[in-house]
């Protein structure tokens, strides 16, 4: 009809990157991505269960979030392999860190592999929850990370590992994407996350007590992730103040109004 516009296609409405993901045109996202996905299948990632899907699916979804947020290839590729050597949360080693690091480096690049290996050996829950969020209780006016970063213990050897501000910022962004992809209400019940603080202190019972997927209520994770976003901003600001050229590589996720807003635990529960 004259004067009536034809409906817009999805290609016109969506950002090109998102459209490429929807069409599974992965070589347009990253020319190396198809080969990386083939290797994940070859090592069995598609045969391991993970929360709500396969391990391969989880890794890919975290990668998508990071790419859409605009992170650089090193962090996005780390997201695609972020638990590949197993880590402090899960024991799903699809690569052996003592003999296969060179293979992973050849696949995703040395920078991404180094970040992946570091991510797999830091005590992530302790680093982010205990060393950061618990030290900055809800309502704290100045949500900032310690100057210079933090020192933690290697989860396997116990040796000290210093996590500087840039690496800490990367780990926070990756954890935000990781949690956003996989947390639901049934995990709150299983781990006793009744207040939304996301401490994950309740150990799962050896007896079956929770029916997956349950009512599939949204998980109480958004408040904690909004605070992680503020800490990413703190990392970036400190790097910029120090004249560290890596500040430009640290992406502020485009959520929570550029990570400027905090969702309180009370508002989260009310919602």
């Amino acid at each position: 009809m004259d004067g009536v516009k034809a409906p817009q296609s999805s290609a016109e409405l969506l950002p090109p990157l998102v459209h490429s993901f929807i069409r599974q045109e992965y070589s347009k996202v990253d020319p190396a991505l198809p080969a990386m996905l083939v290797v994940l299948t070859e090592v069995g990632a598609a045969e391991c269960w993970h929360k709500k899907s396969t391990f391969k699916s989880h890794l890919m979804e975290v990668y998508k979030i990071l790419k859409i947020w605009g992170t650089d290839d090193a962090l996005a590729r780390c997201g695609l392999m972020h638990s590949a050597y197993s880590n402090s949360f899960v024991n799903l080693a699809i690569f052996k860190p003592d003999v296969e690091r060179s293979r992973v480096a050849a696949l995703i690049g040395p920078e991404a592999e180094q970040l992946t290996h570091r991510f797999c050996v830091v005590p992530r829950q302790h680093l982010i929850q205990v060393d950061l969020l618990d030290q900055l209780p809800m309502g704290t006016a100045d949500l900032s990370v310690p100057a210079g970063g933090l020192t933690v213990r290697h989860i396997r050897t116990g040796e000290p590992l210093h996590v500087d501000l840039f690496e800490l910022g990367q780990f926070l962004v990756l954890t935000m994407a990781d949690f956003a992809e996989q947390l639901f209400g049934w995990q709150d019940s299983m781990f006793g996350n009744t207040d939304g603080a996301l401490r994950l202190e309740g150990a799962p019972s050896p007896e079956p007590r929770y029916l997956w997927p349950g009512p599939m209520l949204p998980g109480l994770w958004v408040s904690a992730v909004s605070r992680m976003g503020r800490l990413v901003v703190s990392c970036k600001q400190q790097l910029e103040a120090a004249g560290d050229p890596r500040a430009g590589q640290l992406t502020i996720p485009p959520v929570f109004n550029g990570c400027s807003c905090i969702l309180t635990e009370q508002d989260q529960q009310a919602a």
Side-chain angles (χ1 to χ4, degrees), residues 44-62 79 81-84 86-94 119 124 177-184 186-187 190-191 212 216:
E47 300 160 41
C48 301
W49 181 250
H50 185 282
K51 301 293 193 301
K52 63 179 179 63
S53 56
T54 68
F55 187 36
K56 179 182 178 181
S57 176
H58 169 64
L59 295 173
M60 182 58 180
E61 293 305 311
V62 171
M81 299 283 177
H82 70 270
S83 300
S86 83
N87 61 30
S88 59
F89 279 147
V90 296
N91 184 18
L92 280 173
I94 52 176
F119 190 76
R124 184 160 54 125
D178 185 32
F179 284 6
E181 198 284 323
Q182 64 176 305
L183 296 185
F184 294 92
W186 63 272
Q187 289 147 303
M190 188 168 68
F191 289 106
W212 182 90
M216 287 301 284

Side-chain angles (χ1 to χ4, degrees), residues 7-250:
Q8 289 180 286
S9 68
S10 61
E12 294 174 307
L13 293 170
L14 295 172
L17 177 64
V18 175
H19 196 242
S20 294
F21 275 127
I22 290 173
R23 291 196 166 189
Q24 299 184 16
E25 296 172 337
Y26 295 143
S27 62
K28 291 183 178 180
V29 176
D30 181 340
L33 182 56
M36 290 187 261
L37 293 174
V38 168
V39 172
L40 285 176
T41 299
E42 290 174 347
V43 297
E47 300 160 41
C48 301
W49 181 250
H50 185 282
K51 301 293 193 301
K52 63 179 179 63
S53 56
T54 68
F55 187 36
K56 179 182 178 181
S57 176
H58 169 64
L59 295 173
M60 182 58 180
E61 293 305 311
V62 171
Y63 173 86
K64 285 180 184 178
I65 293 171
L66 293 169
K67 286 294 289 187
I68 291 169
W69 281 355
T71 68
D72 63 13
D73 278 340
L75 184 55
R77 290 179 178 190
C78 172
L80 189 65
M81 299 283 177
H82 70 270
S83 300
Y85 298 131
S86 83
N87 61 30
S88 59
F89 279 147
V90 296
N91 184 18
L92 280 173
I94 52 176
F95 296 101
K96 298 175 182 178
D98 52 341
V99 296
E100 292 189 287
R101 289 192 61 185
S102 59
R103 178 188 181 190
V104 177
L107 181 65
I108 66 175
E111 184 181 356
E113 191 281 330
Q114 174 68 16
L115 186 59
T116 299
H117 183 261
R118 292 274 288 180
F119 190 76
C120 287
V121 299
V122 298
R124 184 160 54 125
Q125 177 68 9
H126 195 283
L127 170 66
I128 292 175
Q129 187 64 53
V130 178
D131 291 339
L132 290 175
L133 296 185
D134 282 355
Q135 305 304 314
L136 303 164
M138 186 61 69
T140 302
D142 182 22
L143 275 178
S144 60
V145 298
L150 290 163
T151 298
V152 295
R153 294 284 177 181
H154 192 296
I155 63 171
R156 299 186 184 91
T157 68
E159 66 180 300
L161 295 174
H162 183 69
V163 183
D164 70 14
L165 288 171
F166 178 66
E167 195 171 45
L168 184 57
Q170 289 177 308
F171 287 170
L172 283 162
V173 173
L174 178 48
T175 299
M176 290 172 70
D178 185 32
F179 284 6
E181 198 284 323
Q182 64 176 305
L183 296 185
F184 294 92
W186 63 272
Q187 289 147 303
D188 291 333
S189 299
M190 188 168 68
F191 289 106
N193 185 39
T194 56
D195 61 359
L198 209 62
R199 293 186 179 88
L200 306 182
E201 292 173 338
S205 169
E207 299 297 325
R209 292 190 299 171
Y210 307 103
L211 180 65
W212 182 90
M216 287 301 284
L217 293 172
L220 298 175
W221 54 268
V222 183
S223 174
V225 169
S226 73
R227 296 171 71 213
M228 292 180 206
R230 285 292 300 139
L231 295 177
V232 177
V233 172
S234 172
C235 290
K236 189 177 182 74
Q237 289 174 338
Q238 291 191 51
L239 289 168
E240 289 173 339
D244 192 317
R246 297 175 300 170
Q249 292 177 249
L250 184 56

